[in-house]
Amino acid sequence: MPSSSPLGLHRVLDRPSGMLPQAARRLDASPELQADDEVRIDVEVLHLDAASYRQLSTAHTGSLDRVDGEALRQAVLDIVAERGKMQNPVTGSGGMLIGRVAEVGASSPLGLQVGDEVATLVSLSLTPLHLSDALTRWDGLSATVPAAGHAILFGRSVAAVLPPDLPAEVALMVMDVCGAPALVQRLVDRHRTQTGSAPRVCVLGAAGKSGVLSLAAAGRAGAWHRIAVVRDQAEAGRVAEAGEAERVVVADARDPVTLARAVAEAGGPAELTVVCVDVPGCEQPAILATAEGGTVVFFSMATDFAAAALGAEGVAADVTMIIGNGYAPGHADIALDLVRSRPGVRAAFDARRSTAQTTDP
Amino acid sequence: MPSSSPLGLHRVLDRPSGMLPQAARRLDASPELQADDEVRIDVEVLHLDAASYRQLSTAHTGSLDRVDGEALRQAVLDIVAERGKMQNPVTGSGGMLIGRVAEVGASSPLGLQVGDEVATLVSLSLTPLHLSDALTRWDGLSATVPAAGHAILFGRSVAAVLPPDLPAEVALMVMDVCGAPALVQRLVDRHRTQTGSAPRVCVLGAAGKSGVLSLAAAGRAGAWHRIAVVRDQAEAGRVAEAGEAERVVVADARDPVTLARAVAEAGGPAELTVVCVDVPGCEQPAILATAEGGTVVFFSMATDFAAAALGAEGVAADVTMIIGNGYAPGHADIALDLVRSRPGVRAAFDARRSTAQTTDP
């Protein structure tokens, strides 16, 4: 066993050792760097992930069905004090944080400078964290938590410097899903290299953040025909405004026959189908809507492995099925550049931001 | 809607229409061909899948914890009569069948001739089936069911002619997992074309049927270093005898640190990792044991989609993750040719066959 590890194994307090930080019950969150490749961050804001915040707010509901902010704050403090990380023990999930770089180990590969304002792109569920302010600036009523304290990044952590030219809120929304456009760009590039021709690309759930960015990435990489599938006319209008699809169609992505027909009528089937629909049951429809020899990439966390594997076999579909990886080298820069360079994409994220501000009390 | 469909939509009796045969409650199993691309099979043997037979035998246990064969037989007859297919309503699974081709539609793409003895490689859970013999030759005590009746194949079904030069039992075992070697061969070929060099290949769970065939497929496709990971010395001995790995190592595929170290010491990490271990929790270990920029293909039905997606992101692993597809064009022939041409593989399957005969009363 090495004394330190780019995966952070040396910060795991559970015994026997050898467990990864995400699986561990308790981490050592002491502020001193314990490895040459560690980085310490002064924490400014925690963004709890949606599943975790929903669980906590349901568990701490007071009178009149109102969230008991005080109890919720104490619950978060207790978790962090006990575990040395903000990992919801029920959902297992974490979230991300924003902070400023305080110290950088001599051999850190993350490319950060002291003073950089960064967002962490690996989960809080594996990030050593210590809180020093009792979260007094947080009312417990939203998943955005003003906080003071410190966090530790490892050699294989991922953090992105917040860009000075974009609102932080837009940058965070983009970085949250930046694995999707990076992978779509790579798959379109690969298809062009291998076949000498540009692929058609179909995105299911095209109105969401990852959907719009996937369409834009496909466009920049040279896809020749992009089909956006959405669930209703309101979404269709928004996707059409973004200007990143040659065809926008309304169809139920859970209905195999309807979907395949709708995609075919819109110029499909596509050589690359990107599933961004966050509801179960889209596996076999996506497979059937894809050209023989094509590729389906699943970014929805609602994807069921067996449904995809058996779904392809059951209809003798020769498709390559890929599990969407949230990480790729340079993924944040790729996504942010799409937002900067493609006005329709930027407008879609600005609209989402103002909607969120309107509907979130 | 077309009046007939290569997916068999026209055989679905549920209303509203548009459901795929696998999802349907009832199929029309009448013997007349209802589409130009259908094929009718005279059934000889049903092979219920393991999960289905286990459920049925547990549900029909009589005195002294013995399976009530009579009740089990009646249960299968009732399911087929009610649903027009042998799909266990609890597990949702089916199995496969062996039979002889009785009639071939004029435009069937399956390449079958009347009189061919075939195995169906799509699930019984989507295959129209009618039984005519009350299963009188079956005692209900094993998942192998001598039967008479007929079944219908669609344009997109898959069936393979039983090879005259191999024992039927060996051919069935091979065809049951033939998607794995076909995909491994394709991925090794692709790697060589793209990079100009042969990949290292690591197979987790190398002692199983799909594991041995994956190693053999990698070898034939030109992998330069094959690492077989097994769970104990007995398995290591069997894999070494098959002669399809340059290195055989014993390691727990659920332990990320141990596995990565064991694979590295055996000449890894590999550019292609093939997961054939049928236990949960191997996702992140497999990812960490794979070279950056490499590929992990998951053939285990115990794979959890979220564990793979989040597991890669959590350690910033730039790997392509593929959902193993049980179908690829020519997959049965590819696998059978490996058994014919590589004596160690043939011996491994023969040994498995005699073991099964010894231990199965």
Side-chain angles (χ1 to χ4, degrees):
Chain A
M1 279 290 299
S3 58
S4 77
S5 145
L7 297 169
L9 297 170
H10 55 283
R11 292 266 184 180
V12 173
L13 295 175
D14 303 17
R15 290 292 170 266
S17 61
M19 192 171 279
L20 289 171
Q22 186 152 35
R25 199 174 63 80
R26 288 176 63 225
L27 300 182
D28 175 355
S30 53
E32 299 77 24
L33 300 194
Q34 295 183 7
D36 265 2
D37 60 358
E38 288 190 344
V39 169
R40 188 176 67 254
I41 308 283
D42 285 339
V43 175
E44 297 174 347
V45 182
L46 307 178
H47 287 268
L48 305 185
D49 82 283
S52 174
Y53 183 74
R54 194 179 310 122
Q55 188 276 327
L56 287 167
S57 55
T58 304
H60 298 285
T61 300
S63 59
L64 297 175
D65 280 343
R66 287 204 182 116
V67 172
D68 182 343
E70 187 60 40
L72 210 158
R73 184 164 64 200
Q74 193 56 50
V76 170
L77 286 168
D78 288 347
I79 290 170
V80 176
E82 155 69 15
R83 308 197 68 171
K85 58 178 178 174
M86 180 52 216
Q87 181 178 29
N88 184 315
V90 177
T91 64
S93 57
M96 43 119 55
L97 65 82
I98 291 176
R100 209 167 278 279
V101 175
E103 187 178 357
V104 180
S107 59
S108 167
L110 303 185
L112 301 177
Q113 307 292 327
V114 170
D116 283 347
E117 187 169 34
V118 298
T120 59
L121 302 186
V122 287
S123 174
L124 286 179
S125 62
L126 56 87
T127 304
L129 175 68
H130 173 81
L131 296 174
S132 58
D133 73 339
L135 300 180
T136 46
R137 289 175 292 146
W138 183 43
D139 60 10
L141 301 183
S142 98
T144 303
V145 185
H150 66 262
I152 302 293
L153 301 182
F154 307 125
R156 284 186 74 157
S157 298
V158 189
V161 177
L162 288 179
D165 60 329
L166 289 172
E169 206 180 338
V170 169
L172 288 178
M173 283 195 288
V174 171
M175 291 193 289
D176 188 37
V177 295
C178 61
L183 184 50
V184 169
Q185 175 179 308
R186 184 186 285 192
L187 292 171
V188 172
D189 283 345
R190 191 177 293 173
H191 185 276
R192 294 181 63 189
T193 307
Q194 279 171 16
T195 67
S197 66
R200 292 168 291 183
V201 175
C202 174
V203 176
L204 308 182
K209 292 184 292 180
S210 57
V212 170
L213 285 170
S214 294
L215 285 169
R220 190 166 66 178
W224 75 262
H225 185 72
R226 291 169 296 173
I227 303 165
V229 177
V230 296
R231 68 179 163 191
D232 57 33
Q233 287 299 336
E235 287 193 351
R238 294 212 302 278
V239 172
E241 269 175 36
E244 291 289 353
E246 279 66 48
R247 291 290 301 275
V248 182
V249 294
V250 175
D252 185 343
R254 295 164 301 181
D255 179 336
V257 179
T258 306
L259 180 70
R261 190 169 43 198
V263 170
E265 284 170 0
E271 284 73 35
L272 173 61
T273 299
V274 184
V275 182
C276 299
V277 187
D278 232 350
V279 296
C282 302
E283 298 88 356
Q284 203 169 33
I287 290 161
L288 281 168
T290 303
E292 277 294 289
T295 298
V296 184
V297 52
F298 293 99
F299 275 106
S300 163
M301 293 304 287
T303 304
D304 182 73
F305 181 89
L310 299 176
E313 185 176 345
V315 295
D318 179 22
V319 294
T320 299
M321 296 178 286
I322 294 183
I323 298 171
N325 183 345
Y327 174 75
H331 59 342
D333 287 340
I334 289 169
L336 291 168
D337 282 349
L338 288 168
V339 173
R340 289 189 187 101
S341 61
R342 301 177 85 97
V345 178
R346 172 65 191 268
F349 275 88
D350 282 340
R352 184 176 284 271
R353 183 183 161 217
S354 55
T355 312
Q357 285 175 340
T358 310
T359 57
D360 209 27
Chain B
M1 281 290 300
S3 58
S4 78
S5 145
L7 297 170
L9 298 170
H10 55 281
R11 291 266 184 180
V12 173
L13 294 174
D14 303 16
R15 290 292 170 266
S17 60
M19 192 171 280
L20 290 170
Q22 186 152 35
R25 200 173 63 80
R26 288 177 62 228
L27 300 182
D28 175 355
S30 53
E32 299 76 25
L33 299 194
Q34 295 182 7
D36 265 1
D37 60 359
E38 288 190 344
V39 169
R40 189 176 66 253
I41 308 284
D42 285 338
V43 175
E44 297 173 348
V45 182
L46 307 178
H47 287 267
L48 305 185
D49 81 284
S52 174
Y53 182 74
R54 195 179 311 122
Q55 188 277 327
L56 287 167
S57 54
T58 305
H60 298 285
T61 300
S63 59
L64 297 176
D65 280 343
R66 289 206 181 114
V67 171
D68 182 344
E70 186 60 39
L72 211 157
R73 184 165 64 200
Q74 192 56 50
V76 170
L77 287 168
D78 288 348
I79 290 170
V80 176
E82 155 68 15
R83 307 196 68 170
K85 57 178 176 175
M86 180 51 215
Q87 180 178 28
N88 184 314
V90 177
T91 63
S93 57
M96 42 119 54
L97 66 81
I98 292 176
R100 208 166 280 278
V101 175
E103 186 178 0
V104 179
S107 59
S108 166
L110 303 186
L112 301 177
Q113 307 291 329
V114 170
D116 283 346
E117 187 169 33
V118 298
T120 59
L121 302 186
V122 288
S123 174
L124 286 179
S125 62
L126 56 85
T127 303
L129 174 68
H130 174 82
L131 295 174
S132 57
D133 73 339
L135 300 179
T136 46
R137 288 174 294 146
W138 184 43
D139 60 11
L141 301 182
S142 98
T144 302
V145 185
H150 66 263
I152 301 292
L153 301 181
F154 307 126
R156 285 186 72 157
S157 299
V158 189
V161 176
L162 287 179
D165 60 331
L166 289 173
E169 206 181 336
V170 168
L172 288 178
M173 283 194 288
V174 171
M175 291 193 288
D176 187 37
V177 295
C178 61
L183 184 50
V184 168
Q185 175 178 309
R186 185 186 285 193
L187 292 171
V188 172
D189 282 345
R190 191 178 292 173
H191 185 276
R192 295 180 65 189
T193 307
Q194 279 170 18
T195 67
S197 66
R200 291 168 291 184
V201 176
C202 175
V203 176
L204 308 181
K209 292 183 291 181
S210 57
V212 170
L213 285 171
S214 294
L215 285 169
R220 190 167 65 178
W224 75 263
H225 186 72
R226 292 168 296 172
I227 303 165
V229 178
V230 296
R231 67 180 164 190
D232 58 32
Q233 289 298 337
E235 287 193 351
R238 294 212 303 278
V239 172
E241 268 175 39
E244 291 289 352
E246 279 67 46
R247 290 290 301 275
V248 182
V249 294
V250 174
D252 185 343
R254 295 163 301 180
D255 179 336
V257 179
T258 306
L259 180 70
R261 192 170 42 198
V263 170
E265 285 170 0
E271 285 72 37
L272 173 62
T273 300
V274 184
V275 182
C276 299
V277 187
D278 233 349
V279 295
C282 301
E283 298 87 356
Q284 203 169 32
I287 290 162
L288 281 168
T290 303
E292 279 292 290
T295 298
V296 184
V297 53
F298 293 98
F299 275 106
S300 162
M301 292 306 286
T303 304
D304 182 75
F305 181 89
L310 299 176
E313 185 176 347
V315 295
D318 179 22
V319 293
T320 299
M321 296 179 285
I322 294 183
I323 298 171
N325 183 345
Y327 174 75
H331 59 342
D333 287 340
I334 290 169
L336 291 169
D337 282 348
L338 288 169
V339 173
R340 288 190 188 102
S341 60
R342 301 178 86 96
V345 177
R346 173 65 192 269
F349 275 88
D350 282 340
R352 184 176 283 273
R353 184 182 159 218
S354 55
T355 311
Q357 285 176 340
T358 309
T359 59
D360 211 28

